[in-house]
Amino acid sequence: MTETAEQFDYIIVGAGSAGCVLANRLSEDGKNSVLVLEAGGSDRSIYVQMPSALSIPMNMPKFVWGYESEPEPHLNNRRLHVPRGRVIGGSSSINGMVYVRGNALDFDHWEEEGAKGWSYARVLPYFRRAESREEGGDEYRGGNGPLHTSYGSLANPLARAFIEAGVQAGYPLTDDINGFQQEGFGRMDRTIHKGVRWSAANAYLKPALKRPNVELRSRVLVTRILFKGKKAVGVTYLRGKQEISVKARREVIVASGPISSPHLLMLSGVGPAAQLRALGVPVVHDLPGVGENLQDHMEFYFQVACDPSVTLHGAMNIVSKGMIGARWLASGKGLGGTNHFESCGFIRSAAGVQFPDIQYHFLPAAVSYDGQSLSKDAGFQAHAGTMRSKSRGYVRLKSSDPRVHPTILFNYMSHPDDWTEMRAAVRLTREILGQKAFSPWRAHEMQPGEAVQSDEQIDEFLREKLESAYHPCGTCRMGAADDPMAVVDPLTRVRGLQNLRVVDSSIMPSVTTGNLNAPSIMIGEKASDHILGRDPLPASNAPVYVAEGWEMRQR
């Protein structure tokens, strides 16, 4: 191994959503030197920066790790695509640019699960610090943070019809799903700024790299964390075939995401001891929770045929795409400057559910999320998914070779309650899309199809068509000192070790109600204060909505 004398105050492994935040916040006073190590390369690509191209980088080997799940036993043994960003900005450079913080009660639940200090009142100030909302800030929203958020124009009449249909079905209208009231139908916030994807790299990392005390090394693979006893002192990484070590004067911070963070810990000897020994990995610290508690959201596409003049169907051919791209390059405007997810909904699946457990992304086209399969007929679709699955999976070491991907098994739909909730989602979605708001354009139901009615028929459809919503988390869960499966404490420090933290969505005790980019950035913001030893921001006293009569009413 080639030793070097290089030292930095902080070494951040991963330039993803949380890692970019940390690079910025830990360096902003100029006192600390920060090294960011990233396996991927540049994000300078029209496919990354143009919002409407979102399905392309998610499926390009240049920008993703190429993970896939093991055959999922409850989904006809299908292997599912697990796209994780391997590029500057991480998954914020390949995601759908949907900005959803989660429900206030998610974070109160985190505190009940042992994440002391992570209640909604405590995390809301960090959401606000991160954000610069195009329409301005208030007691919920930020007005001058690095992360720009905006709404779409709702120019397509189908986007407005979806909101109207939700109200016609008896659900509330909400002015702001990220403010007082998540529940209901309304506009979708997006991390898009002036027609450009506003990734964590654009928001946080690129400004930080202008400082002399921040360095980024891309296209390097971190192979292990170096320890002196129980103290993390640096990392080793590969650049091509050369192995290089760098030392951390203060801390090593793993911010590699819900798959790669537990993978690196286990490669470094931190994890379930028996599993590590079986693969010949010397055990530094036995920590049984590393890689366990894997959670995700699942969704299906409910597709309805409709008048082609109002869908994006006609824009899917190569000539139209070229024209859209040319206009976007010239002005940042037009269909290229939106992710097309401009309206949304959050509802409860049944009476007795306290806060939303079904999420909708509405799209005025009928196409798979990977962009590979456009429906034969013009149509629109609602991505419908349940939020609080009881199924749990794992990420486990497959080999001591860091270039070999870990074993990923989500164990989707392994809990019977998940089937009950997902069946409800199918039926409730059918009712919403059948409202009169869509009458001017709606034709027949394409998927699942009107013949799919019974529990058995719905289950068969779900086994074949359910997909990941790409929100994995929980594999280095945060918890209390007496929780044997907790990996980090509420200050994000790895339990039983010194100078080592994990800061990304892997530390979430449980998945939030919505997309994970916004809470991942919040985690980076809050953890930066813990790392620097600063007092946390003062708690918010902003009120939050809970549906009146939720114990007895579904809507």
Side-chain angles (χ1 to χ4, degrees):
M1 183 173 76
T2 307
E3 276 292 341
T4 74
E6 276 195 301
Q7 289 198 340
F8 297 82
D9 291 315
Y10 296 103
I11 297 172
I12 300 167
V13 183
S17 297
C20 289
V21 177
L22 293 172
N24 190 303
R25 296 304 189 189
L26 298 182
S27 66
E28 64 187 341
D29 65 5
K31 295 177 182 175
N32 301 306
S33 59
V34 177
L35 174 65
V36 183
L37 299 171
E38 166 58 41
S42 171
D43 64 347
R44 283 186 215 152
S45 164
I46 184 174
Y47 299 132
V48 171
Q49 299 299 333
M50 183 169 75
S52 70
L54 63 94
S55 68
I56 298 173
M58 192 182 290
N59 295 281
M60 284 181 74
K62 179 179 179 181
F63 299 123
V64 296
W65 281 92
Y67 295 132
E68 65 174 10
S69 75
E70 294 297 298
E72 290 289 342
H74 305 281
L75 297 177
N76 292 345
N77 287 312
R78 288 184 288 137
R79 288 183 182 268
L80 297 192
H81 183 37
V82 187
R84 305 303 303 164
R86 188 179 186 181
V87 58
I88 305 306
S91 294
S92 76
S93 290
I94 66 161
N95 69 0
M97 291 154 283
V98 168
Y99 180 81
V100 179
R101 293 175 173 181
N103 193 280
L105 298 186
D106 291 327
F107 304 103
D108 292 344
H109 184 51
W110 281 12
E111 189 152 73
E112 291 164 11
E113 292 179 284
K116 191 171 187 235
W118 292 78
S119 66
Y120 182 67
R122 286 291 179 186
V123 302
L124 178 55
Y126 290 99
F127 279 118
R128 292 184 70 243
R129 184 169 88 178
E131 186 188 17
S132 187
R133 186 193 190 204
E134 191 173 62
E135 294 186 359
D138 58 25
E139 64 181 322
Y140 301 94
R141 307 301 295 268
N144 54 10
L147 185 71
H148 286 278
T149 65
S150 63
Y151 293 114
S153 65
L154 297 179
N156 188 300
L158 293 172
R160 292 182 182 276
F162 183 66
I163 298 172
E164 290 166 18
V167 174
Q168 288 169 359
Y171 299 100
L173 187 67
T174 175
D175 289 337
D176 184 359
I177 61 158
N178 289 307
F180 166 69
Q181 181 177 338
Q182 184 191 50
E183 185 166 342
F185 285 73
R187 297 180 297 170
M188 181 79 93
D189 294 271
R190 308 155 318 146
T191 48
I192 296 174
H193 181 48
K194 296 181 177 175
V196 175
R197 174 193 289 276
W198 208 246
S199 65
N202 285 337
Y204 287 93
L205 183 62
K206 290 172 188 176
L209 289 173
K210 294 174 182 172
R211 301 172 188 151
N213 56 327
V214 182
E215 184 177 343
L216 168 68
R217 293 180 191 169
S218 57
R219 297 188 175 89
V220 299
L221 180 66
V222 177
T223 56
R224 71 180 185 281
I225 302 158
L226 301 173
F227 290 95
K228 193 171 183 180
K230 297 278 186 175
K231 179 179 175 182
V233 295
V235 302
T236 298
Y237 66 86
L238 287 173
R239 171 169 268 155
K241 293 185 178 176
Q242 185 185 14
E243 193 171 57
I244 301 166
S245 294
V246 285
K247 297 297 178 69
R249 280 186 286 265
R250 301 191 70 174
E251 294 191 17
V252 173
I253 305 160
V254 180
S256 307
I259 309 300
S260 297
S261 284
H263 188 214
L264 178 59
L265 289 178
M266 290 185 282
L267 287 168
S268 307
V270 179
Q275 289 179 36
L276 302 186
R277 286 194 192 102
L279 290 167
V281 176
V283 177
V284 172
H285 186 53
D286 181 16
L287 208 52
V290 173
E292 300 301 307
N293 191 48
L294 176 61
Q295 299 165 57
D296 192 11
H297 292 143
M298 297 225 80
E299 64 181 16
F300 56 87
Y301 310 147
F302 203 111
Q303 298 178 328
V304 178
C306 83
D307 180 343
S309 67
V310 289
T311 75
L312 298 175
H313 200 79
M316 297 292 192
N317 62 73
I318 193 161
V319 174
S320 296
K321 285 181 178 179
M323 291 171 65
I324 290 165
R327 183 180 177 193
W328 180 84
L329 283 168
S331 66
K333 294 180 179 174
L335 291 177
T338 177
N339 60 354
H340 304 288
F341 292 120
E342 297 185 358
S343 57
C344 64
F346 290 87
I347 68 172
R348 294 175 293 112
S349 64
V353 176
Q354 189 178 15
F355 61 102
D357 61 345
I358 294 174
Q359 177 183 12
Y360 293 112
H361 302 69
F362 181 79
L363 189 66
V367 62
S368 63
Y369 202 174
D370 63 11
Q372 301 301 303
S373 52
L374 180 67
S375 66
K376 181 169 60 73
D377 298 324
F380 58 82
Q381 69 191 31
H383 296 207
T386 55
M387 294 287 99
R388 290 190 286 285
S389 168
K390 293 178 181 170
S391 300
R392 296 291 181 270
Y394 55 76
V395 174
R396 291 183 184 160
L397 208 58
K398 189 181 287 182
S399 165
S400 59
D401 182 343
R403 290 160 295 200
V404 175
H405 289 170
T407 299
I408 304 167
L409 181 74
F410 288 92
N411 213 17
Y412 291 122
M413 305 300 285
S414 55
H415 195 286
D417 289 356
D418 294 353
W419 291 96
T420 302
E421 291 164 7
M422 204 64 86
R423 287 180 208 124
V426 171
R427 293 181 168 119
L428 293 168
T429 307
R430 179 174 278 147
E431 180 193 8
I432 292 162
L433 298 184
Q435 296 298 318
K436 68 175 188 253
F438 285 111
S439 295
W441 310 286
R442 181 181 54 230
H444 61 280
E445 181 182 308
M446 295 190 290
Q447 182 173 287
E450 284 150 18
V452 177
Q453 295 288 341
S454 68
D455 285 0
E456 293 74 21
Q457 289 167 330
I458 290 172
D459 289 355
E460 186 178 349
F461 160 71
L462 293 170
R463 276 191 292 272
E464 191 53 41
K465 294 295 186 180
L466 273 175
E467 297 289 341
S468 170
Y470 308 142
H471 302 156
C473 65
T475 48
C476 298
R477 60 159 295 184
M478 181 165 41
D482 60 355
D483 180 352
M485 296 304 283
V487 175
V488 301
D489 70 11
L491 298 181
T492 72
R493 300 173 299 196
V494 177
R495 296 173 63 219
L497 297 170
Q498 296 168 269
N499 296 10
L500 180 63
R501 296 187 201 241
V502 180
V503 180
D504 56 36
S505 68
S506 71
I507 72 169
M508 294 180 174
S510 50
V511 69
T512 52
T513 306
N515 311 63
L516 296 194
N517 185 238
S520 297
I521 286 171
M522 176 277 290
I523 286 169
E525 285 278 10
K526 190 169 188 295
S528 70
D529 277 358
H530 297 319
I531 293 164
L532 293 169
R534 293 177 175 161
D535 290 335
L537 295 177
S540 168
N541 60 4
V544 294
Y545 172 89
V546 175
E548 190 178 342
W550 63 267
E551 301 92 339
M552 304 300 293
R553 294 205 306 266
Q554 182 261 332
R555 66 189 96 169

